[in-house]
Amino acid sequence: MNIKPEITVRNKDSGEKILYRMDQPSLVIGRDSSNFVVLPSKTVSRRHTEILFDHGQFFVRDLKSNNGTKLGERKLTTKEKNLLKSGDVIKIENFDILFELPQHSHQKEALENTDSDLLEVKMVKKLLKAMDKDSAPTLEIIDGAEKGRRFLFEAKSQDVVVGRDPGCELYIDSNVISRKHARFEKRFDTVTIFDLDSKNGTFVNRQKITEKRLQDGDVIHLGTLAIIFRNPQELGLDLSPPEISSTEEHSQHTNPNASLPEEPSQPKIDLPEAKVAKRRGPEDPPPPAPKTPEPIPQPLQAESNFNLSPADPLPQSEVNEAPKLSSMEILMLAVGAAVLIGALFGLMKIF
């Protein structure tokens, strides 16, 4: 609804005037504090009259009030829609309600003083008003037949009843919600939702509630009807960790030593070989030589007293006596060598 009429309520007894701007398809006038326009008089019914927008036109109808509603001097028939034109006056007891379309307001502004200073002030006011509108909280239906329909909270203090009763401020024609399902209370920058003992319940982020203060992005379910709440003023309150923190955390997770200084690169065989050398006994065979032509580390040279290095060959007598070993001794030596080799590889895998 792009057209937003102005509704001026005048108390004929006190002369007090209150201006409202209709920014929703339907609003209810009555004594009850949940109505959009509240008339504080005992002679006014709790829900007295409704103004609604339908197919590009505005209508007024009486909601079975006790004392009736007049359009001009004509008393309205209960529940009958009557066309409203700019300048029409709705009369409810001691209140006159003037209905004006925006075009009429523009004509009044044209008659005002056009001094340059005043024009600048008006332009600033219009700009601030547009900014307030862009930052106002909204409700948007995200499923069902009315998907995409939005409701805007423009006033600083505003109460909105939602339900399938045509008299509700936010009227939704759906069988899954109650006639008066929930009430939204806007107080400055906060909006709170209250369940009105609905049949199918009210849920916020899948949790059933009776009262809940809403935050930007909350998904509300009235029964099974989903509505999303948006509050642009809360967009700066995102408490999620910044992107750089997530990247650093991922880097530390994939590389736990990323924050530590790296050690000099060595051939993969050097580290286990040095550790094996510290635990090697006199009877152990030497480890295999490294594949790279780098020199043997110093600890390995200091402990290489096994009489098995290429510079210290076996005595000739021992070489000549090798063929005299029995087959059983040769088998035992082969088994021992295999065990030692297996142990060596096992130690290399551990370290």
Side-chain angles (χ1 to χ4, degrees):
M1 186 182 76
N2 296 327
I3 305 174
K4 296 184 179 180
E6 291 182 352
I7 298 170
T8 305
V9 179
R10 184 175 71 90
N11 189 326
K12 291 187 290 185
D13 295 337
S14 63
E16 180 185 6
K17 290 184 180 181
I18 302 177
L19 177 64
Y20 298 86
R21 185 178 296 275
M22 182 175 177
D23 56 0
Q24 54 202 42
S26 171
L27 65 83
V28 177
I29 304 170
R31 188 178 77 247
D32 193 275
S33 59
S34 64
N35 297 325
F36 186 86
V37 178
V38 179
L39 303 180
S41 175
K42 294 183 179 180
T43 59
V44 178
S45 299
R46 295 178 63 84
R47 297 171 59 81
H48 200 107
T49 306
E50 178 189 19
I51 298 176
L52 64 155
F53 179 79
D54 187 18
H55 294 89
Q57 293 181 316
F58 291 89
F59 299 87
V60 60
R61 64 179 175 181
D62 183 84
L63 299 177
K64 297 183 179 179
S65 63
N66 293 331
N67 297 326
T69 304
K70 289 184 178 181
L71 181 58
E73 299 300 326
R74 178 171 60 90
K75 187 172 183 179
L76 302 182
T77 304
T78 299
K79 288 292 184 178
E80 179 180 325
K81 294 198 301 184
N82 297 266
L83 182 64
L84 271 177
K85 302 184 298 298
S86 183
D88 283 347
V89 177
I90 304 167
K91 297 183 178 182
I92 301 176
E93 295 303 303
N94 60 328
F95 295 92
D96 285 344
I97 302 169
L98 175 63
F99 177 84
E100 293 180 294
L101 293 176
Q103 293 84 349
H104 184 69
S105 298
H106 294 330
Q107 292 174 2
K108 290 194 301 182
E109 289 182 3
L111 298 176
E112 295 179 357
N113 193 342
T114 57
D115 183 80
S116 59
D117 293 337
L118 293 178
L119 287 176
E120 291 177 2
V121 171
K122 290 178 183 178
M123 291 181 66
V124 171
K125 286 183 177 179
K126 288 182 178 180
L127 179 61
L128 293 175
K129 185 175 181 181
M131 292 175 62
D132 288 342
K133 182 177 179 181
D134 291 339
S135 62
T138 59
L139 298 172
E140 181 177 350
I141 301 175
I142 57 178
D143 66 1
E146 298 190 62
K147 181 178 179 180
R149 179 181 167 190
R150 298 174 71 241
F151 178 87
L152 185 68
F153 294 92
E154 282 190 313
K156 292 294 183 182
S157 180
Q158 188 173 354
D159 292 348
V160 177
V161 177
V162 57
R164 73 170 190 272
D165 189 332
C168 293
E169 286 77 12
L170 179 52
Y171 165 65
I172 302 177
D173 187 12
S174 175
N175 292 329
V176 301
I177 66 175
S178 302
R179 295 183 63 83
K180 295 181 183 178
H181 198 106
R183 185 176 77 254
F184 294 89
E185 290 187 0
K186 180 177 183 292
R187 299 294 182 264
F188 296 97
D189 297 333
T190 63
V191 177
T192 306
I193 183 173
F194 299 86
D195 181 72
L196 300 179
D197 296 326
S198 59
K199 180 178 180 182
N200 295 326
T202 301
F203 302 81
V204 176
N205 299 327
R206 301 293 181 181
Q207 294 185 354
K208 190 172 183 179
I209 60 95
T210 55
E211 176 182 347
K212 174 74 174 178
R213 177 177 173 179
L214 297 176
Q215 296 181 343
D216 179 66
D218 282 347
V219 177
I220 305 159
H221 280 85
L222 307 180
T224 58
L225 180 70
I227 300 175
I228 189 168
F229 174 75
R230 290 295 186 188
N231 189 358
Q233 298 179 12
E234 294 184 7
L235 294 180
L237 300 179
D238 186 9
L239 300 179
S240 59
E243 184 177 354
I244 186 172
S245 299
S246 302
T247 305
E248 291 175 356
E249 182 180 356
H250 175 71
S251 174
Q252 292 179 1
H253 178 71
T254 55
N255 185 10
N257 298 325
S259 60
L260 301 176
E262 296 184 358
E263 297 180 358
S265 58
Q266 298 179 359
K268 292 183 179 180
I269 194 171
D270 287 353
L271 183 59
E273 179 181 335
K275 292 185 178 182
V276 172
K278 293 180 180 181
R279 295 165 174 78
R280 189 163 53 230
E283 70 281 1
D284 294 336
K291 295 181 181 180
T292 58
E294 297 181 2
I296 300 174
Q298 187 64 28
L300 186 60
Q301 293 178 353
E303 298 183 8
S304 301
N305 340 334
F306 309 130
N307 299 325
L308 295 177
S309 63
D312 191 8
L314 292 172
Q316 186 65 31
S317 59
E318 294 182 9
V319 176
N320 295 333
E321 293 176 359
K324 296 181 180 180
L325 296 175
S326 63
S327 59
M328 181 60 68
E329 292 173 339
I330 294 173
L331 179 62
M332 293 296 293
L333 287 173
V335 171
V339 171
L340 289 174
I341 293 172
L344 179 62
F345 278 98
L347 289 172
M348 292 176 63
K349 289 182 179 180
I350 291 175
F351 293 97

